Amino acid sequence: MLKSLLGELYLKNFKSSNRLERIWKIAQVDFKKRYYNDKAGLLWALINPITQILLYYFVFTKILQKDQENFVPYLFCGILIWLSFSEATKKGMQVFTTKKYLIENIQFEWKDLYTSHMFSISFGLIFNLVAYFIILVLIGAKVGSYFLYLPIILITWFILTLGIAMILGIIKPIFDDMVHIWSLLLLVGFWVSGIFFSGTFYFENYPWFPHVNPFVGIILNLRGCLLENNPFFISLMIENLIFALVVFGLAVVLFNKYAKKVVERI
């Protein structure tokens, strides 16, 4: 029933819209449908991250007694960007399947489906950032000295995540086991990307690792933007952006070559 209603809403709104309007409206619908029929509606998008931060605060300061300054916002900087990446890539594998009716009923470019998908995930990330800033005010902490670089970090995350989601979207219909492989990689990445510790650990011990895992640099620099007394690494920022552009370029090439075959196979 819900899927039918959403399908009618898509078709009604997008048949007469131009390309950018379609992308934007699909992103809005995708984000809002997470809270469809919920009485609090989009308020849950703010309540959920605030609740998570408070839980982390209680566990790490009262139970585990983690004594690092502002450890909870320090931890949440990494968690919020990683969970958004995880959600975007997992759901990205299903875009062709869940949005096939749009391709069939509307003249809609396949790449635009992924752009709207990423905008939808980005809305959630923005709500998480709002919750983060609310907590900073409540605990009396300040944003980092490099806050003005935040747009570059978020753009890097967006491009990198979009590219990986597109590649996974091409692979998954051909190789179903990719779902399990990617879940395993996400689990490993969660623990080794510097979410629970400083990624500077790798500089001396495994200096090659930040170059193959861009999230080490993204998380380090996100903390430099969002939390006081954290360093910022401009060279890593530039490297991460180049890495993201290369991944996205590869995704576009693969998409242009195989997307039509994948859609026909579904």
Side-chain angles (χ1 to χ4, degrees):
M1 180 66 177
L2 175 57
K3 185 175 181 180
S4 174
L5 289 173
L6 291 171
E8 291 178 7
L9 180 60
Y10 278 130
L11 297 178
K12 180 180 178 181
N13 286 321
F14 306 142
K15 278 188 176 179
S16 61
S17 303
N18 64 39
R19 181 179 179 184
L20 292 178
E21 288 175 335
R22 290 177 181 177
I23 292 173
W24 184 248
K25 288 179 179 178
I26 287 180
Q28 288 179 313
V29 173
D30 281 347
F31 180 68
K32 290 179 180 178
K33 76 179 182 182
R34 303 182 197 179
Y35 309 99
Y36 189 81
N37 283 335
D38 293 343
K39 291 184 178 179
L42 292 179
L43 188 58
W44 285 114
L46 193 58
I47 294 174
N48 288 336
I50 289 178
T51 302
Q52 289 181 51
I53 297 175
L54 292 176
L55 284 172
Y56 287 130
Y57 177 80
F58 177 75
V59 170
F60 283 98
T61 61
K62 304 301 182 182
I63 299 178
L64 299 181
Q65 297 183 346
K66 190 71 177 180
D67 56 1
Q68 180 173 322
E69 182 184 8
N70 295 322
F71 182 71
V72 172
Y74 178 91
L75 178 67
F76 200 65
C77 280
I79 287 178
L80 68 88
I81 200 76
W82 181 265
L83 291 186
S84 296
F85 168 74
S86 176
E87 180 184 9
T89 53
K90 282 184 175 180
K91 291 184 177 180
M93 284 190 276
Q94 310 294 335
V95 164
F96 279 139
T97 303
T98 58
K99 300 292 192 301
K100 186 179 179 181
Y101 59 93
L102 286 177
I103 300 172
E104 294 173 341
N105 293 282
I106 305 173
Q107 292 182 347
F108 205 95
E109 291 197 22
W110 300 322
K111 288 191 289 292
D112 291 348
L113 291 176
Y114 276 89
T115 304
S116 64
H117 165 70
M118 281 304 304
F119 278 133
S120 173
I121 299 298
S122 297
F123 294 156
L125 178 59
I126 290 171
F127 272 88
N128 284 340
L129 286 171
V130 171
Y132 174 86
F133 289 128
I134 291 173
I135 295 298
L136 280 191
V137 172
L138 292 177
I139 67 176
K142 298 179 181 178
V143 298
S145 304
Y146 302 92
F147 182 75
L148 293 179
Y149 285 110
L150 180 60
I152 299 177
I153 304 304
L154 295 180
I155 289 171
T156 300
W157 167 84
F158 186 96
I159 295 172
L160 177 63
T161 307
L162 174 58
I164 292 176
M166 290 171 64
I167 293 172
L168 291 172
I170 292 292
I171 296 175
K172 192 270 174 185
I174 301 171
F175 184 58
D176 285 336
D177 286 0
M178 193 65 215
V179 173
H180 305 292
I181 294 172
W182 188 245
S183 294
L184 182 60
L185 290 174
L186 286 173
L187 177 63
V188 173
F190 181 75
W191 290 102
V192 304
S193 295
I195 293 174
F196 296 94
F197 56 91
S198 174
T200 55
F201 160 82
Y202 291 113
F203 293 167
E204 293 184 1
N205 297 279
Y206 306 98
W208 54 269
F209 191 71
H211 303 298
V212 299
N213 181 1
F215 269 92
V216 173
I218 289 173
I219 291 172
L220 276 172
N221 285 333
L222 187 65
R223 287 176 176 144
C225 293
L226 294 182
L227 189 61
E228 59 185 341
N229 301 324
N230 278 275
F232 194 88
F233 304 90
I234 293 180
S235 60
L236 263 183
M237 179 187 71
I238 296 172
E239 181 181 326
N240 293 157
L241 181 56
I242 294 173
F243 189 102
L245 290 171
V246 170
V247 170
F248 178 70
L250 175 62
V252 171
V253 171
L254 293 174
F255 211 83
N256 289 336
K257 187 172 182 179
Y258 296 110
K260 186 176 180 179
K261 296 179 181 178
V262 169
V263 171
E264 291 174 349
R265 181 170 179 163
I266 296 175

